[in-house]
Amino acid sequence: MYDTSTRQRALALLGQGLTVSEVSRRTGVSRHAIREWQLRTEQGRDLYVAGSRECPRCSPVPRPPEPAPDYSYLLGLYLGDGCISPVSAPEKKVWALRIACANAWPGLIDECVGAVRAVRPDNRVRTIQRPGCVEVNSHSKHWPCLFPQHGPGRKHERRIELAAWQREIVHADPRPFVRGLLHSDGCRPTNRVRRPSGDGWYEYPRYLFTNVSADIRGLYTEALDLLGVSWKRNKPIEISVARREAVARLDGFVGPKH
């Protein structure tokens, strides 16, 4: 248990814009406890109770989800490591958005939770430990409205394309979408290559994105083209960004996972 002063200090640091991970490091409080406090106090509401905020796609005049950057980032995460599945009895028409985040990247888990909460602020967000990963989970009747890519079967076995309103969001600013895709199915390793002379080695960073769906790879490379980031197909299911200026461009808004 943590005393009141510790809780107040943690919430104050969150109010200054620090991430959950950074507040945890500064206070010694577990990330789980900080997320619990944050959920229970944000905007003076108990966010564990699912609200009835109108779905922007179901309103009389459909509109895109907001905030656009959070939605675009979440779309990238969903296409990479997410799924939507029914909860309880089918007639209730309640769906769970489930996104798998590796245990090795606590910062990614926090960002995923934040994006889900930003897009559906009245719905509870859960983090569930699974073997080797944390599942970020949230229930809503409207996840299929927000992610029309949902359908039966695996993503790489069916057509994946963006709706017109999704394309408008991504094309307006492709960076959050690219960041979400790389955070789900990408990495930033250091490549080590022997010099042509055979005298020693040289190293350089690069971004790799791997997905078995040709459609999702196509959405990724299309977004890179919009950003003017050069890329090449490194392997049949892998896209590489290795040129120095291209890596620097991605470093400006993606960077290594944490």
Side-chain angles (χ1 to χ4, degrees), residues 37-38 73 80 101 140 166 168 186 191 193-194 208 215:
W37 298 341
Q38 186 180 45
Y73 175 70
C101 302
S140 173
Q166 291 177 305
E168 290 181 5
N191 198 34
V193 181
R194 183 177 291 277
L208 299 177
D215 291 338

Side-chain angles (χ1 to χ4, degrees), residues 63-138:
R63 61 187 188 279
E66 296 179 341
D70 293 280
Y71 174 77
S72 189
Y73 175 70
L74 188 58
L75 174 61
L77 292 180
Y78 163 72
L79 290 178
D81 285 325
C83 69
I84 295 173
S85 57
V87 178
S88 188
E91 61 269 18
K92 293 184 178 180
K93 297 181 180 179
V94 178
W95 302 85
L97 172 68
R98 308 176 193 272
I99 297 178
C101 302
N103 288 331
W105 317 117
L108 168 57
I109 298 169
D110 292 339
E111 288 198 56
C112 181
V113 169
V116 175
R117 289 173 51 212
V119 172
R120 295 298 294 166
D122 289 338
N123 292 92
R124 178 181 176 184
V125 184
R126 308 160 185 82
T127 54
I128 304 169
Q129 184 63 56
R130 304 294 189 193
C133 71
V134 168
E135 177 188 301
V136 177
N137 177 303
S138 181

Side-chain angles (χ1 to χ4, degrees), residues 2 25 29 33 38 50 54 57 59 62 70 75-76 81 90 95 117 126 137 145 147 174 177 185 194 199 209 255 258:
Y2 300 100
R25 284 191 290 269
V29 177
Q38 186 180 45
E54 180 184 57
R57 301 305 305 160
S59 63
D70 293 280
L75 174 61
D81 285 325
W95 302 85
R117 289 173 51 212
R126 308 160 185 82
N137 177 303
C145 312
F147 297 105
F177 180 62
D185 282 337
R194 183 177 291 277
D199 182 22
F209 176 75
H258 63 284

Side-chain angles (χ1 to χ4, degrees), residues 6-223:
T6 300
R7 179 176 179 275
Q8 290 174 342
R9 180 176 176 235
L11 291 172
L13 291 172
L14 288 173
Q16 296 171 18
L18 275 66
T19 65
V20 171
S21 293
E22 180 62 26
V23 173
S24 177
R25 284 191 290 269
R26 293 194 183 191
T27 62
V29 177
S30 71
R31 291 192 302 274
H32 176 76
I34 293 171
R35 283 194 290 266
E36 292 277 337
W37 298 341
Q38 186 180 45
L39 285 167
R40 290 185 180 279
T41 59
E42 186 172 290
Q43 299 178 9
R45 296 175 298 170
D46 185 353
L47 295 183
Y48 282 88
V49 179
S52 58
R53 179 170 296 197
E54 180 184 57
C55 170
R57 301 305 305 160
C58 295
S59 63
V61 179
R63 61 187 188 279
E66 296 179 341
D70 293 280
Y71 174 77
S72 189
Y73 175 70
L74 188 58
L75 174 61
L77 292 180
Y78 163 72
L79 290 178
D81 285 325
C83 69
I84 295 173
S85 57
V87 178
S88 188
E91 61 269 18
K92 293 184 178 180
K93 297 181 180 179
V94 178
W95 302 85
L97 172 68
R98 308 176 193 272
I99 297 178
C101 302
N103 288 331
W105 317 117
L108 168 57
I109 298 169
D110 292 339
E111 288 198 56
C112 181
V113 169
V116 175
R117 289 173 51 212
V119 172
R120 295 298 294 166
D122 289 338
N123 292 92
R124 178 181 176 184
V125 184
R126 308 160 185 82
T127 54
I128 304 169
Q129 184 63 56
R130 304 294 189 193
C133 71
V134 168
E135 177 188 301
V136 177
N137 177 303
S138 181
H139 295 178
S140 173
K141 292 187 175 183
H142 300 286
W143 288 126
C145 312
L146 299 175
F147 297 105
Q149 290 71 33
H150 166 66
R154 300 176 180 178
K155 296 192 192 82
H156 68 277
E157 296 174 344
R158 64 179 192 269
R159 180 68 176 168
I160 298 293
E161 56 187 355
L162 299 185
W165 57 270
Q166 291 177 305
R167 292 183 65 84
E168 290 181 5
I169 292 174
V170 171
H171 282 219
D173 185 0
R175 292 174 300 173
F177 180 62
V178 168
R179 190 164 183 264
L181 287 172
L182 284 170
H183 276 185
S184 60
D185 282 337
C187 61
R188 185 187 182 276
T190 298
N191 198 34
R192 190 167 185 260
V193 181
R194 183 177 291 277
R195 297 184 183 279
S197 64
D199 182 22
W201 301 77
Y202 68 94
E203 297 179 342
Y204 62 92
R206 61 177 175 172
Y207 283 86
L208 299 177
F209 176 75
T210 305
N211 193 293
V212 294
S213 168
D215 291 338
I216 294 175
R217 293 196 305 273
L219 293 174
Y220 173 67
T221 56
E222 180 183 357

Side-chain angles (χ1 to χ4, degrees), residues 230-251:
S230 60
W231 57 271
K232 69 176 183 178
R233 195 174 308 279
N234 196 45
K235 297 177 182 178
I237 63 170
E238 185 176 82
I239 305 298
S240 171
V241 173
R243 290 187 178 181
R244 182 177 301 176
E245 64 276 11
V247 171
R249 179 79 169 96
L250 292 184
D251 280 346

